[in-house]
Amino acid sequence: MSRPRVIALEPSGPAALAGLAVGDELVSLNGVAPRDVLEYRSLVDEPLVEVEVDRGGLQFSVEIDKAAGAPLGLEIHSALFDQVRTCDNHCEFCFIYQLPAGMRSSLYLKDDDYRLSFLYGNFTTLTRFTEADFERVLTEGLSPLFVSIHATDGDLRAEMLRNRRGATSLRWLRLLLDAGVAVYGQVVVCPGVNDGLWLEDTLCGVLESYADLRGLCLVPLGVSRHAPAGRLRPHTVAEAEAVLDATEDWQEIFESALGRRMVFAADEYFLLAGRDLPPAEYYEGFEMHEDGVGIARNFLEEFSGRSAVPTGVQTGFFAWVDGAPAAGYRAPRNGCGAPAPGTQNGGGGALTPAAAVTLRRRRGTAVLTGELGAAVLGPMLVEAGYRDVRLLPVENRFFGGNIGVTGLMVGADVARVLAEEPPDGRYLLPDVCLSNGRFLDGLTIADLPRAVEVTETDGIALRRALDGL
């Protein structure tokens, strides 16, 4: 079991004033060695915190006097200090199996940890969930949780997870719902496996057995060019249309029975099928925004000014790997380490505000985005009158296949696109593709051949950047 390690301090905060330093390991808090950030936050929520510190092998104690509920003023290195609950399923559609070789080792770790489900919105299958986990969820109020369902038929679910516990582990879902825990469900729809009549069966099973889910999202299978050979493949346009048709039919059934739509298809289905995005009210508050449901419509609402407060960014498949949520349960928005606009300059890196203004006057602005993002941003910019703003869709050659979301853009692909652009242009890069200042392939913005401005990934931030605010 590791210890929480201090990676940043607020200079005038209680921890710094008590003598803590970056690099210190926190052996215990009020006599308890925390297992994770959940326990850590409970322990520090006291007016007086006695901390046992290890500084390079030298151990000593400090007392931190603060008001109850006030933060310590430090950031720790990880969300979990004990061992991550790894996944013992072998789903053939798992994206971990579709990663190329040579990436940093942390990206290959499959988790099935209910704590990461609560902290970051990761989906858990519950196949490794235990009585002790259930008790802790209830005792500490760890809600909402996010559960991968994929199928309500036990045999099919076990086959998809390649784990015999797949047939029985949904009993935990029923127990969590009975205990009042808010749970969101997900179905990764795999063509020829759990679509068609099987999808109908799953939606019927949700209505019959899990009607108190907060929501259910249907997401398309992502297939990279590194995927192992097998039966899995991307959706055809006709299959995407069939999923949307089934979603619409079952929304009517759920609304009639429950008074709400319950099931939603991810935005990718609408883009693949070439259908218009539904209006904002369709999404019933965008509760599954982080699962790619309504994220495009919400972005359009923000950009148009119809939404004054940004909902936030989709956390992404690998968000927990590099995140260190010290200030809250979810990873910080730009705590991902992406430099705020104006911290670096040169051949690559981020632009200073003065340099950004100069380049805006000389060359106009270009927005980097994934191929799916371009399908949304293109019409939006034209409709809003930004006809001089160019889109730079980044083809994802690193992952290949049908991977086109902006959050999976990597440095090598962005660099390839920028290399063909004028050196004195102005280029906006959304921060969703960065974590701790790095792309998934390990490159940083300093490695890019052109300077970029890193912007938050919401419509309000993009509008402000385009208007030079």
Side-chain angles (χ1 to χ4, degrees):
M1 177 167 153
S2 65
R3 300 163 174 166
R5 184 178 69 257
V6 179
I7 60 173
L9 282 164
E10 182 184 339
S12 59
L17 295 177
L20 266 65
V22 171
D24 286 347
E25 293 186 353
L26 311 183
V27 180
S28 66
L29 303 163
N30 289 335
V32 178
R35 295 168 290 176
D36 46 51
V37 72
L38 304 173
E39 199 165 29
Y40 164 86
R41 286 182 58 82
S42 176
L43 293 169
V44 301
D45 193 27
E46 297 290 340
L48 185 66
V49 183
E50 183 176 348
V51 184
E52 184 73 18
V53 181
D54 186 311
R55 181 176 294 169
L58 175 66
Q59 293 198 5
F60 58 93
S61 296
V62 299
E63 285 191 352
I64 303 178
D65 194 355
K66 65 180 187 65
L72 286 182
L74 60 80
E75 186 173 345
I76 51 180
H77 78 289
S78 177
L80 305 182
F81 317 134
D82 59 2
Q83 192 170 18
V84 176
R85 183 81 56 81
T86 55
C87 180
D88 63 351
N89 304 312
H90 301 281
C91 313
E92 57 184 320
F93 54 88
C94 178
F95 199 67
I96 297 293
Y97 296 144
Q98 303 187 46
L99 297 179
M103 302 177 73
R104 57 187 186 273
S105 59
S106 58
L107 297 178
Y108 298 98
L109 178 63
K110 294 193 306 173
D111 84 272
D112 201 359
D113 199 310
Y114 70 95
R115 296 171 299 175
L116 294 175
S117 180
F118 173 67
L119 289 166
Y120 292 96
N122 289 18
F123 280 86
T124 173
T125 64
L126 298 174
T127 55
R128 299 200 63 186
F129 202 69
T130 67
E131 293 282 355
D133 299 333
F134 182 68
E135 181 179 354
R136 188 180 182 197
V137 167
L138 300 191
T139 301
E140 300 186 18
L142 305 186
S143 175
L145 296 178
F146 300 80
V147 175
S148 290
I149 295 175
H150 304 320
T152 52
D153 178 86
D155 291 338
L156 178 59
R157 189 169 191 264
E159 178 198 345
M160 293 187 68
L161 301 186
R162 294 184 175 176
N163 186 336
R164 57 184 176 82
R165 290 196 301 277
T168 58
S169 57
L170 283 182
R171 68 186 177 92
W172 289 115
L173 173 58
R174 184 62 264 158
L175 290 172
L176 289 166
L177 293 171
D178 287 342
V181 177
V183 180
Y184 292 91
Q186 180 192 68
V187 173
V188 176
V189 183
C190 302
V193 180
N194 64 335
D195 61 346
L197 293 178
W198 276 121
L199 180 58
E200 301 275 354
D201 180 80
T202 294
L203 296 175
C204 181
V206 167
L207 180 60
E208 290 180 344
S209 303
Y210 311 107
D212 33 359
L213 280 171
R214 289 288 294 270
L216 179 70
C217 61
L218 308 181
V219 300
L221 173 67
V223 183
S224 87
R225 66 184 177 90
H226 307 281
R231 58 180 173 169
L232 298 183
R233 56 174 178 77
H235 285 285
T236 64
V237 172
E239 288 166 342
E241 291 175 337
V243 170
L244 290 175
D245 290 342
T247 302
E248 183 177 337
D249 291 343
W250 277 94
Q251 283 180 335
E252 293 182 6
I253 296 171
F254 281 117
E255 192 157 27
S256 175
L258 308 175
R260 56 195 178 96
R261 291 187 175 93
M262 172 67 87
V263 60
F264 296 88
D267 293 1
E268 289 180 57
Y269 279 116
F270 290 93
L271 298 176
L272 178 57
R275 295 189 183 180
D276 292 338
L277 295 171
E281 56 270 19
Y282 168 90
Y283 292 102
E284 299 180 346
F286 296 103
E287 288 195 12
M288 289 181 287
H289 173 273
E290 291 193 6
D291 306 317
V293 173
I295 193 170
R297 171 54 64 191
N298 188 68
F299 194 99
L300 296 175
E301 293 294 297
E302 293 169 346
F303 188 82
S304 68
R306 291 189 291 269
S307 177
V309 180
T311 300
V313 68
Q314 187 178 3
T315 52
F317 190 80
F318 299 99
W320 76 272
V321 173
D322 298 311
Y329 285 138
R330 296 297 178 105
R333 263 304 313 261
N334 229 338
C336 61
T343 60
Q344 195 175 358
N345 200 8
L351 289 168
T352 64
V357 171
T358 299
L359 292 179
R360 184 163 57 250
R361 289 171 180 163
R362 291 168 61 187
R363 283 285 187 177
T365 299
V367 180
L368 291 150
T369 182
E371 292 181 301
L372 289 174
V376 177
L377 297 184
M380 178 191 78
L381 293 173
V382 171
E383 182 179 344
Y386 290 94
R387 298 181 182 276
D388 58 338
V389 175
R390 294 185 301 121
L391 278 183
L392 294 180
V394 178
E395 178 189 357
N396 200 319
R397 297 182 184 176
F398 184 84
F399 287 115
N402 68 338
I403 308 303
V405 296
T406 303
L408 291 179
M409 291 193 312
V410 300
D413 288 327
V414 173
R416 185 191 71 252
V417 171
L418 286 176
E420 301 297 321
E421 294 296 316
D424 55 351
R426 182 193 183 213
Y427 307 105
L428 303 182
L429 178 73
D431 66 355
V432 70
C433 59
L434 295 168
S435 181
N436 281 339
R438 291 183 295 177
F439 294 93
L440 281 171
D441 61 355
L443 297 185
T444 70
I445 57 172
D447 298 314
L448 300 177
R450 305 285 182 261
V452 299
E453 289 178 63
V454 180
T455 65
E456 293 184 349
T457 312
D458 63 72
I460 295 173
L462 178 59
R463 188 73 181 248
R464 289 177 63 86
L466 294 178
D467 291 341
L469 300 178

